[in-house]
Amino acid sequence: KGKKPGQKRMKAASALKTHNKSALVPNGKLIMSDKKCDPVNRELFIVEGDSAAGTLIDVRDPSCQEILKLRGKTLNVEKTTSIAKDLENQEIRNFLVAIGADAYAIKKGEKVDSFRVGKIVLLTDEDVDGKHIKVLLTSLINKYAEEAFKQKIVYIAKLPLFQASDPKTG
């Protein structure tokens, strides 16, 4: 026996209003910060996969820094013809939930104008794929959460492609 149609939406809305985003972002893709962190001080780092997240987990401040692990490239929302098509993509849903969006509101055409984080940091590799992911994510933010740009909470990290060290000095 399935749940009533409204029950699923109420459960999702309840989880969105609380700090429990991990209930809606499957497979540990969202690594949460401390629940006591003020949303203005909470930072969300978007990274490419488990290996990048593993490094960041070791150096982050778990009291206010969160990590969302993406699995490859997201859908290009500029080429899709419907909101429903965009929301079928798990990576897009994960991202929207992580920033505090209500997928049901987006389905109705409402944009995100308040966020559960004070910073959204796009932290991808500096190779061609990483740059493409940054473009896809900025398009996604522009389409569904353009207020994030207006509030100046979107940051794009520029990482070095290579690092060299002198074996004599460490």
Side-chain angles (χ1 to χ4, degrees):
K1 294 180 181 180
K3 291 183 178 181
K4 293 180 183 176
Q7 286 179 322
K8 189 173 182 182
R9 181 169 194 250
M10 287 174 20
K11 181 181 177 188
S14 172
L16 284 166
K17 287 179 184 173
T18 67
H19 188 74
N20 190 16
K21 301 300 181 219
S22 58
L24 295 174
V25 178
N27 304 324
K29 296 296 180 189
L30 178 61
I31 298 163
M32 305 291 292
S33 66
D34 188 337
K35 293 178 184 178
K36 297 175 190 165
C37 182
D38 183 353
V40 172
N41 297 324
R42 189 175 295 131
E43 300 174 351
L44 175 66
F45 291 89
I46 314 296
V47 299
E48 293 178 73
D50 293 328
S51 61
T55 303
L56 191 55
I57 288 168
D58 294 338
V59 298
R60 78 180 177 119
D61 175 2
S63 66
C64 279
Q65 292 180 330
E66 299 184 346
I67 302 167
L68 177 65
K69 301 181 272 185
L70 293 180
R71 184 184 45 94
K73 296 177 184 174
T74 65
L75 186 68
N76 185 346
V77 296
E78 295 301 322
K79 290 187 175 183
T80 58
T81 56
S82 73
I83 294 169
K85 178 77 173 168
D86 293 348
L87 294 177
E88 285 175 10
N89 183 280
Q90 185 66 51
E91 299 304 309
I92 289 175
R93 283 196 317 271
N94 289 350
F95 176 78
L96 292 172
V97 166
I99 66 170
D102 179 343
Y104 297 102
I106 290 172
K107 276 187 178 180
K108 293 189 296 187
E110 298 172 18
K111 292 193 176 195
V112 185
D113 60 1
S114 63
F115 305 92
R116 58 173 292 280
V117 296
K119 274 187 186 176
I120 301 168
V121 183
L122 308 181
L123 188 65
T124 61
D125 295 337
E126 283 301 310
D127 59 10
V128 173
D129 286 337
K131 289 178 181 180
H132 190 204
I133 289 169
K134 285 178 191 172
V135 169
L136 293 171
L137 288 171
T138 53
S139 294
L140 173 63
I141 294 167
N142 187 56
K143 185 171 183 177
Y144 291 114
E146 67 183 329
E147 187 65 28
F149 289 125
K150 292 177 185 173
Q151 292 180 21
K152 299 180 181 178
I153 65 169
V154 179
Y155 295 81
I156 298 175
K158 183 163 175 59
L159 303 174
L161 189 54
F162 299 99
Q163 181 177 356
S165 64
D166 183 353
K168 295 176 188 172
T169 59

